Amino acid sequence: MPRDLALSASFATADDIVRSYHQRGGQPAIAYGIVRDGELVHAAGFGARSLGGPPPDERTVFRIASMSKSFTASAIMLLRDEGMLALDDPASAYLPQLAGWDNGAADAGPLTIRHLLTMTAGFPTDDPWGDRQQGLPLAEFDALLAHGVGFNWAPGTRFEYSNLGYAILGRIVAAAAGVPYDEFVRNRLLTPLSMSRTGFAAEEFPGSELALGYRRGQDGWQELPFDPYGAFAPMGGVFSCVADLATWASGFAAAFRPVIEARLAESDCVAGAAHPLAADSRRLMQLPQAVTGWRAADRLPGAPPGSPAYYGFGLFIDEDPALGRIVSHSGGYPGFGSNMRWHPPTGLAVIALGNGTYARMNAVAELVLGAVLPPAPGYQVALSPGAKPWPETLAAQESVSRLLLGWDDAAADALFCENVALDKPYQERLADLALLRERIGDFAPDTSRPAQSDTPAHRRWWLTGEGGTVAVAIQLNPQRPPRVQSLGIAVPPAPGSPLAKTLTALVAWLNDPAAAWPATVPVAPAADAGLIARRLRMAAVWAGQVTSGAFQAGDGSSSATVELSGEHATANLAVLINPVTGELRQADIAV
């Protein structure tokens, strides 16, 4: 299906997801939108922007709460780019009321702007107290700071979410710029981006176009008054709509494209105007700066832990094991909940806004983004929009394919870096190709399976013969012009070999929940047989009945990684044996 048609077909699915989520009753209304290539390509609203009123649309204004932090971080980066401040400057250089703080430890260094940006200042988490300080007058906030605050940690030692830190950043923006915080953000960010439906007070917008905030009480939904603009606005005081936030999110997503696609002139523009913040600064905001925690517990007992999550500058960065890097920020506030998230490799983004207290818009936005993203054949990294390979990578793929069909040392020397022959002599590579032909027959590139790129300098594709399918992978080096620095070819085991027997026995065991561990698969004394069995069995329950498919890796004698197609999921089974004794040294399965 063409890309546009495939994306359009997913809009109905996305609508169903949001409609179903809204019907759970967590908020009176939800407005959401899908962004691609800098444009809002789909938007819808469900429920009532005010009780008894019409549903919201992409222009309905909500309070976006902590999503505001990305605006504050952007303001700091603008000032940094103009030489008005440095990220490692002490915060007290701009706010004298911070002088004399003990910073959490007698030997702690100064509290810096970078610490505040990355939530590593050491302050105690302050939800929900910070939300209720939204309208705190500036003079009272300055007095609070002058009195001193408590620290859980010395600055720079660990992440802890802090609204106070971003309120302090707002005061630093004003001090460095010489104008009030809201004036600086409006003039330097909102106006250049034509974000005319974004501001800092409910009174800026017609009442008919404003979503009212609600909490669920004993008698049903209760309307909550809007807090005024005050000292904590830099952490949660912005009002905006799906349409404007589509512009905001796409500006960040577009920042990665010049690196890979050399489209700086095109991608560094949003809504027809040059972005006020330099692309390299927007990229820096989206790079991991502090580890916040992990997405989940171990996927299987004894397996590696779940993927880590990070905080950048006013943005969260999540390393999803299936989708790759996702950048996001949520907002939770009395009367409102919000989330924006985007996928830097593709530029796809989702905005979701709700008008219920601490409405979990992150959950519905995550579901929608997962529904509209194309299937990911492999892990995608942040700087790879769609993991689009270099032209040189594609050319190398073709050259390697020809070489594998008819090896020539001179052609190999011209194609490969010097290390390729040193790492594995050509004679051994020729022996691998002979084994490959022996075990799968005459082979050719498999055009039925799309090739994959984990990064622009990487390529993976498949060779198929009558006897099976195997993966080939190359990695180019950073020279110009680049050359192939690694070549990997999966060699399947010979029929009847210890490795083949082990794989056959394990797959049969995975498909029989009542079966005992196969007697034909002895486990090496140094391996933990119980742990291996438990991990494989848990994955088998998850995947369902499986059948063996393409070989992803392996030397054909002691190691193999084979793709297992299951009823409910696809898994990769990797085994390592002693080819002489047949003992299983290691077995792992990733679902």
Side-chain angles (χ1 to χ4, degrees):
M1 181 182 295
R3 181 184 183 210
D4 288 344
L5 292 178
L7 186 60
S8 297
S10 65
F11 293 161
T13 300
D15 282 350
D16 288 343
I17 290 171
V18 180
R19 183 183 296 106
S20 174
Y21 194 86
H22 172 258
Q23 290 171 350
R24 300 180 191 178
Q27 56 287 307
I30 297 177
Y32 92 101
I34 298 170
V35 183
R36 192 192 74 181
D37 294 335
E39 295 184 6
L40 182 64
V41 294
H42 180 72
F46 302 90
R49 63 184 75 177
S50 59
L51 296 186
D57 59 24
E58 69 274 15
R59 293 175 58 80
T60 303
V61 175
F62 292 71
R63 177 159 241 161
I64 66 170
S66 285
M67 282 168 57
S68 307
K69 292 179 172 67
S70 62
F71 291 84
T72 300
S74 295
I76 288 288
M77 295 304 287
L78 273 174
L79 291 167
R80 183 206 72 150
D81 291 351
E82 294 173 355
M84 304 298 290
L85 55 78
L87 299 187
D88 293 316
D89 284 347
S92 59
Y94 303 87
L95 300 180
Q97 53 269 46
L98 274 56
W101 280 12
D102 62 15
N103 291 350
D107 58 353
L111 173 68
T112 68
I113 293 173
R114 189 185 301 274
H115 294 145
L116 297 168
L117 281 173
T118 59
M119 305 266 187
T120 59
F123 302 143
T125 295
D126 52 7
D127 283 332
W129 171 82
D131 293 335
R132 296 299 185 177
Q133 309 306 310
Q134 192 68 232
L136 185 71
L138 293 178
E140 293 184 27
F141 183 49
D142 288 344
L144 181 155
L145 297 178
H147 188 68
V149 300
F151 284 79
N152 273 349
W153 326 100
T157 57
R158 62 170 293 173
F159 172 91
E160 188 165 357
Y161 192 84
S162 173
N163 293 305
L164 173 64
Y166 269 72
I168 294 173
L169 285 172
R171 296 295 285 137
I172 291 175
V173 168
V179 297
Y181 164 83
D182 60 332
E183 181 180 330
F184 183 84
V185 171
R186 194 183 309 276
N187 292 338
R188 299 298 307 278
L189 290 169
L190 305 184
T191 298
L193 291 171
S194 300
M195 294 175 62
S196 59
R197 301 182 68 78
T198 301
F200 290 92
E203 295 76 23
E204 297 179 40
F205 312 100
S208 61
E209 299 176 2
L210 190 66
L212 302 182
Y214 295 90
R215 68 174 293 271
R216 188 180 290 279
Q218 294 181 343
D219 299 322
W221 289 116
Q222 299 176 355
E223 182 182 337
L224 298 177
F226 289 109
D227 289 325
Y229 172 86
F232 274 63
M235 74 84 181
V238 172
F239 290 76
S240 193
C241 64
V242 167
D244 271 13
L245 291 169
T247 297
W248 186 244
S250 63
F252 285 102
F256 287 107
R257 295 190 176 185
V259 176
I260 305 301
E261 299 180 20
R263 293 189 341 201
L264 179 58
E266 174 185 345
S267 64
D268 203 31
C269 295
V270 177
H275 201 289
L277 184 58
D280 62 338
S281 293
R282 281 176 276 144
R283 287 193 289 271
L284 181 59
M285 290 176 63
Q286 300 173 77
L287 295 181
Q289 304 292 331
V291 177
T292 66
W294 273 257
R295 298 181 69 252
D298 290 1
R299 286 168 284 176
L300 292 172
S307 303
Y310 306 93
Y311 203 73
F313 296 160
L315 294 165
F316 284 96
I317 299 99
D318 183 28
E319 299 290 359
D320 188 285
L323 302 176
R325 183 165 291 176
I326 303 294
V327 182
S328 69
H329 212 294
S330 290
Y333 194 79
F336 294 95
S338 58
N339 184 263
M340 59 179 178
R341 61 183 52 236
W342 53 88
H343 184 240
T346 61
L348 283 167
V350 173
I351 316 295
L353 308 175
N355 62 341
T357 293
Y358 300 116
R360 295 188 66 246
M361 292 296 99
N362 60 309
V364 69
E366 183 174 358
L367 290 172
V368 171
L369 186 58
V372 300
L373 280 174
Y379 185 75
Q380 309 293 307
V381 298
L383 300 186
S384 305
K388 184 176 180 180
W390 292 335
E392 296 91 339
T393 308
L394 297 177
Q397 176 190 349
E398 294 182 3
S399 297
V400 169
S401 292
R402 290 193 299 270
L403 185 66
L404 298 181
L405 295 175
W407 189 275
D408 178 82
D409 284 355
D413 286 340
L415 181 63
F416 297 139
C417 298
E418 295 80 359
N419 67 278
V420 172
L422 295 172
D423 296 338
K424 189 170 189 176
Y426 289 165
Q427 184 176 356
E428 294 181 22
R429 295 183 185 274
L430 282 168
D432 285 346
L433 289 175
L435 283 177
L436 188 59
R437 288 190 178 89
E438 177 183 314
R439 294 174 185 180
I440 72 171
D442 289 335
F443 54 79
D446 188 339
T447 57
S448 68
R449 293 188 61 152
Q452 304 168 356
S453 288
D454 293 345
T455 73
H458 169 268
R459 198 66 167 167
R460 182 188 302 110
W461 69 99
W462 283 264
L463 303 175
T464 294
E466 290 185 0
T469 299
V470 302
V472 181
I474 59 172
Q475 177 72 38
L476 274 62
N477 77 343
Q479 287 178 302
R480 285 196 178 278
R483 301 175 72 192
V484 176
Q485 63 175 311
S486 68
L487 167 65
I489 306 173
V491 178
S497 67
L499 182 58
K501 290 179 179 178
T502 298
L503 289 172
T504 300
L506 287 179
V507 171
W509 179 75
L510 290 170
N511 285 330
D512 187 352
W517 182 262
T520 56
V521 183
V523 180
D528 188 332
L531 178 60
I532 289 174
R534 289 193 300 273
R535 288 167 59 183
L536 296 185
R537 184 63 82 194
M538 290 179 68
V541 171
W542 182 266
Q545 293 286 302
V546 297
T547 57
S548 298
F551 283 89
Q552 305 281 0
D555 62 10
S557 175
S558 62
S559 64
T561 298
V562 63
E563 184 180 78
L564 302 180
S565 297
E567 295 175 280
H568 312 299
T570 297
N572 285 331
L573 172 64
V575 300
L576 177 67
I577 70 165
N578 182 326
V580 176
T581 65
E583 290 178 322
L584 182 68
R585 292 174 168 172
Q586 184 177 335
D588 199 5
I589 190 166
V591 178

